[in-house]
Amino acid sequence: MEKYLHPTCSNIGKRLGVALLVGLFNLVGSMATIDAADLTIQAGQPGKSISPDLLGVFFEDLNYAADGGLYAELVQNRSFEYSPTEQPDWHPLKFWELQKRGGGDGSITVANMRPIHKNNPLYALLTIRTPGEGVGIANSGFDGIALKAGENYEASFRAYQAYMGIMWGRGDNSKPMPVTLRLETKTGEVLAETSMQIKGRVWTRFSAQFVPPRTVNDARLVLLAHETGAICLDMISLFPQDTFMGRPNGLRKDLAQAIADIKPKFVRFPGGCLVHGQGIHQYYDWKDSIGPVEQRRSGRNLWGYDQTRGFGYFEFFQFCEDIGAKPLPVVTAGVCCQHGGSSPNRGQEGLPLDEMPAYIQDVLDLIEWANGPATSEWGAKRAAAGHPEPFGLKYIGVGNEDAITPVFKERFKMIYEAIGKEHPEIVVIGTVGPFAGGEDYDNGWAFARELKLEMVDEHYYVNPQWFWDNLNRYDTYDRNAAKVYVGEFAAHDQGRRNTLRSALAEAAELTSFERNGDVVQFASYAPLLARRGHTQWVPDMIYFDNTNVYRTANYYVQQLFGQNSGDRYIETRLDAPDATKLTASTVLDSVSGDLIVKIVNGDDEPVEIDIRLAGLASDATMKATRTILTGPDADAVNEDGEAPVVKPEESTESVKPAFSYTAPANSLTVYRINK
Ligand code: AHR
């Protein structure tokens, strides 16, 4: 095995001596640069094969990551399904306001007699007693609707006539109900408007295109009715036409692009804890998330708000395809969260065993939906959604951070064996608890060995120093045992802030993943997205509001590793007796032939490094791109609305097989060398 010298393991006596000298030096003045370190890269050797898919992303609908986030829908509670199970003061009319304009009078209530679909049971009944200048409803979206001047928006709703004024001895039941649909500012200025006629007793979809003349960040969508009578309304929606890749029912372009820019090799979805839910029948049922959006089941997600599942399995697979990432769905292992049922710890419950066959069939159906021919039962549903070709699903996660109990093991085994029997081509990824060690980790690994699993999912949220102290974690993992997916990791610094210190600790960890890329197959930072003002978990990789995307230092680390991945690890030896936080890794990208060297300096001083690309002709001159991510100090944080203080700076240069480089204090440097 390759000899790797992490500086924390190097000659202790020498380091103590150096520490004394440094102490003396500090008495007379501050030290400018740590003495030279040697970095020797066996550039002439082929190195070892590593996972070409090491870095991906993990999307969980947490922190309003989906509705109010990546999913481009601008109306909140579009199908009147909000409920107090989500938040105590939520109800089906939450985020809707009754409008009585110019002497109008009427009311709005919730109905369930004639729903659009059984999965979408509630809708609004708008009654107009005195039309005035209009009686209707308004929605301000998620903290206001942000509209861009000159862009196209599609507003739509479903409606039918409940009755006309004949109920009160006026009117005529054959008359349609005239309505106007508008975009307004919050003070009532009309930005765009159209008129429609609602007629008949059958749910009908109405839509209109709007182009706002100016940019407004706190607009609302308003529907007004103009005759005495009543109409039923549901699925009131507003979408920008300019979604990511122009997909209908699509994704917010700037956020999707920020994710795409990481060049993730896979996307894990939909959780996280969201997958198993709190309460045994509260798990995320993928079948509720496909098909026409008005037929999807919305409801409480584990993080305490509503998920429409508008961004469902189809949109997830499509997004993966659009960004060239492998889909990595996770399904429950037939147990609920161990913290469910108001239990603080082992409140895990299993699906009744007589329900397991149907549940297992759902998992098998998911595989058929993703990969089966368009002529198969579930493949036909994928094709009907516009994707006749299979999606090419290869991996499926079963379980998330579950307590490894007999209840869990029995159900996991049933699912695992059924997948193995019906779909031996699919790799099942097991789970080994929520921490980097401990009871569930040990039991999860023992169980993985017993079943001969191909891969398990490890999670750790730890302080930055933990990463530096554990860079050798995977060096001793059994190369013949299950591969590792580090499905969730993040450095939690003081105050759980997105400091440069935390980002560099993650970068250091990623160098160790690269070095162990024959064991660590996948890795994904968590969580990915967080909406400002609606965040249940910090730190996160990307923050956003309605109009801005805020990239953290941690984001840039992921981006630099994602954009500079390789498929072979090249032996890299670092001798740095004076540094306490210095590490490096080298990968080869066989497609471009580029050698990619990453150097992480987590110390507060720069370090001078003599770099030697062994095995290359000494007079060779090579083009290199050097990207440095650093900031004013380790506490540096990119603040919303301010120019980021931590962001990558790229330059090009020529390098020889032996050259010196001074890695700035608190920095990640990526050399991409075209050899
Ligand atoms: O990433 C946030 C949460 O952390 C995930 O849902 C869960 O798996 C973990 O505990």
Side-chain angles (χ1 to χ4, degrees):
M1 201 177 76
E2 171 186 339
K3 183 163 186 287
Y4 169 77
L5 246 195
H6 180 253
T8 52
C9 307
S10 58
N11 188 312
I12 290 173
K14 193 171 169 190
R15 290 182 59 211
L16 275 176
V18 170
L20 275 174
L21 278 177
V22 169
L24 279 174
F25 186 88
N26 281 342
L27 287 175
V28 289
S30 68
M31 197 165 85
T33 307
I34 293 175
D35 281 347
D38 291 318
L39 184 63
T40 308
I41 297 156
Q42 295 303 330
Q45 293 180 7
K48 68 176 174 184
S49 173
I50 58 168
S51 168
D53 299 320
L54 183 61
L55 196 125
V57 293
F58 162 42
F59 180 93
E60 176 167 18
D61 187 5
L62 156 68
N63 307 322
Y64 280 57
D67 296 288
L70 186 59
Y71 185 46
E73 172 64 81
L74 293 167
V75 169
Q76 180 160 205
N77 191 16
R78 68 183 175 191
S79 65
F80 303 96
E81 302 294 333
Y82 275 26
S83 114
T85 59
E86 293 159 345
Q87 296 199 12
D89 68 333
W90 282 14
H91 50 80
L93 295 173
K94 185 76 183 173
F95 299 107
W96 290 99
E97 275 176 72
L98 178 65
Q99 304 293 305
K100 299 181 197 174
R101 303 277 172 96
D105 191 26
S107 61
I108 182 159
T109 54
V110 183
N112 64 357
M113 290 86 83
R114 301 179 71 225
I116 289 181
H117 189 269
K118 65 179 174 14
N119 287 346
N120 183 0
L122 306 179
Y123 55 91
L125 172 61
L126 177 69
T127 302
I128 303 95
R129 291 184 173 273
T130 310
E133 289 172 18
V135 175
I137 50 176
N139 188 288
S140 301
F142 298 86
D143 309 327
I145 293 175
L147 301 172
K148 283 192 204 143
E151 300 245 325
N152 270 291
Y153 293 83
E154 180 172 274
S156 65
F157 64 92
R158 284 160 203 270
Y160 74 84
Q161 275 182 295
Y163 45 81
M164 289 302 290
I166 198 155
M167 183 177 180
W168 297 292
R170 299 190 297 272
D172 161 7
N173 245 354
S174 66
K175 273 177 64 185
M177 170 66 86
V179 298
T180 51
L181 189 60
R182 291 178 181 169
L183 292 174
E184 284 186 358
T185 64
K186 70 176 173 192
T187 54
E189 180 196 341
V190 179
L191 296 163
E193 181 177 37
T194 192
S195 300
M196 297 165 175
Q197 304 272 339
I198 296 167
K199 186 165 169 52
R201 294 272 294 161
V202 178
W203 281 109
T204 306
R205 184 175 188 272
F206 298 83
S207 69
Q209 301 292 323
F210 290 136
V211 182
R214 63 187 179 89
T215 295
V216 174
N217 288 337
D218 54 0
R220 54 190 183 164
L221 181 68
V222 181
L223 186 145
L224 298 171
H226 300 287
E227 289 282 348
T228 303
I231 49 174
C232 295
L233 295 162
D234 207 352
M235 296 303 291
I236 306 179
S237 167
L238 181 70
F239 261 90
Q241 205 173 63
D242 191 20
T243 56
F244 185 65
M245 308 282 275
R247 301 287 185 196
N249 191 46
L251 306 182
R252 195 176 130 174
K253 201 173 174 181
D254 54 354
L255 277 175
Q257 191 59 53
I259 297 170
D261 288 346
I262 297 172
K263 290 208 186 323
K265 300 294 189 301
F266 65 87
V267 185
R268 178 177 182 240
F269 173 95
C273 291
L274 179 120
V275 165
H276 46 207
Q278 286 170 315
I280 190 54
H281 291 107
Q282 300 301 323
Y283 60 87
Y284 191 107
D285 184 342
W286 74 273
K287 288 182 177 173
D288 288 339
S289 80
I290 60 162
V293 283
E294 72 279 7
Q295 296 180 13
R296 298 186 190 178
R297 192 190 302 276
S298 81
R300 180 184 192 274
N301 94 6
L302 174 129
W303 298 103
Y305 58 91
D306 185 89
Q307 58 190 3
T308 62
R309 294 193 176 87
F311 177 47
Y313 262 65
F314 181 81
E315 293 73 22
F316 155 62
F317 273 71
Q318 188 171 64
F319 180 51
C320 289
E321 194 168 85
D322 285 345
I323 63 173
K326 294 181 166 61
L328 202 164
V330 183
V331 296
T332 172
V335 294
C336 69
C337 179
Q338 53 258 31
H339 309 298
S342 308
S343 160
N345 189 13
R346 300 269 154 150
Q348 183 189 71
E349 287 174 66
L351 271 178
L353 287 176
D354 62 358
E355 293 182 25
M356 281 301 289
Y359 174 68
I360 290 169
Q361 190 56 51
D362 284 346
V363 177
L364 298 176
D365 291 345
L366 168 60
I367 298 169
E368 181 177 288
W369 175 83
N371 288 355
T375 48
S376 62
E377 182 189 351
W378 287 93
K381 295 185 196 298
R382 180 197 68 237
H387 202 287
E389 296 305 320
F391 276 118
L393 175 69
K394 172 102 174 86
Y395 301 92
I396 189 162
V398 177
N400 174 69
E401 294 191 354
D402 300 298
I404 312 295
T405 61
V407 172
F408 163 83
K409 284 163 105 175
E410 183 175 20
R411 286 158 182 77
F412 181 95
K413 194 162 178 246
M414 292 167 82
I415 302 164
Y416 172 65
E417 286 174 350
I419 295 175
K421 185 162 165 256
E422 299 293 325
H423 294 284
E425 73 284 3
I426 297 290
V427 175
V428 171
I429 305 176
T431 178
V432 294
F435 306 117
E439 188 185 350
D440 293 320
Y441 172 87
D442 292 341
N443 293 339
W445 266 104
F447 189 46
R449 280 189 289 273
E450 183 187 318
L451 295 187
K452 296 191 171 44
L453 291 187
E454 280 187 64
M455 205 184 299
V456 296
D457 179 14
E458 294 189 353
H459 295 178
Y460 30 91
Y461 298 96
V462 284
N463 64 59
Q465 188 59 44
W466 185 95
F467 286 110
W468 287 103
D469 292 342
N470 286 275
L471 292 180
N472 295 336
R473 175 182 174 88
Y474 295 106
D475 293 359
T476 50
Y477 265 47
D478 180 354
R479 267 49 196 167
N480 298 312
K483 302 295 179 203
V484 175
Y485 169 28
V486 186
E488 298 180 23
F489 73 96
H492 285 184
D493 205 349
Q494 290 233 330
R496 292 177 71 148
R497 303 179 76 224
N498 290 84
T499 58
L500 176 57
R501 182 184 301 104
S502 68
L504 294 177
E506 289 150 9
E509 184 71 357
L510 286 168
T511 65
S512 85
F513 293 170
E514 288 192 335
R515 189 175 67 255
N516 288 286
D518 51 336
V519 168
V520 183
Q521 290 291 296
F522 299 133
S524 44
Y525 177 97
L528 177 62
L529 296 178
R531 181 182 173 87
R532 285 297 187 203
H534 299 275
T535 296
Q536 294 86 44
W537 181 292
V538 285
D540 304 284
M541 198 204 295
I542 301 169
Y543 298 87
F544 62 91
D545 54 29
N546 282 344
T547 50
N548 299 288
V549 176
Y550 304 112
R551 292 163 176 81
T552 61
N554 314 73
Y555 170 85
Y556 289 121
V557 164
Q558 298 296 314
Q559 192 192 53
L560 284 173
F561 275 80
Q563 292 182 352
N564 292 289
S565 61
D567 53 342
R568 302 198 72 80
Y569 186 74
I570 307 300
E571 188 181 324
T572 304
R573 183 189 170 101
L574 179 67
D575 290 304
D578 300 347
T580 61
K581 288 185 192 148
L582 185 70
T583 189
S585 63
T586 309
V587 295
L588 177 77
D589 171 23
S590 299
V591 177
S592 63
D594 289 352
L595 194 67
I596 303 158
V597 186
K598 303 186 182 86
I599 301 166
V600 189
N601 179 15
D603 275 323
D604 287 331
E605 290 90 27
V607 57
E608 194 185 321
I609 307 174
D610 290 330
I611 302 174
R612 197 163 76 86
L613 305 175
L616 301 187
S618 58
D619 58 349
T621 303
M622 295 156 288
K623 276 197 184 148
T625 307
R626 187 178 71 192
T627 311
I628 303 174
L629 181 73
T630 187
D633 55 40
D635 287 318
V637 170
N638 289 342
E639 302 289 355
D640 294 3
E642 291 175 18
V645 289
V646 181
K647 70 168 195 316
E649 301 287 349
E650 192 180 296
S651 59
T652 50
E653 61 186 83
S654 292
V655 295
K656 299 264 184 204
F659 65 103
S660 291
Y661 169 62
T662 301
N666 298 302
S667 66
L668 160 65
T669 303
V670 180
Y671 265 104
R672 192 173 183 114
I673 301 169
N674 192 244
K675 66 179 177 105

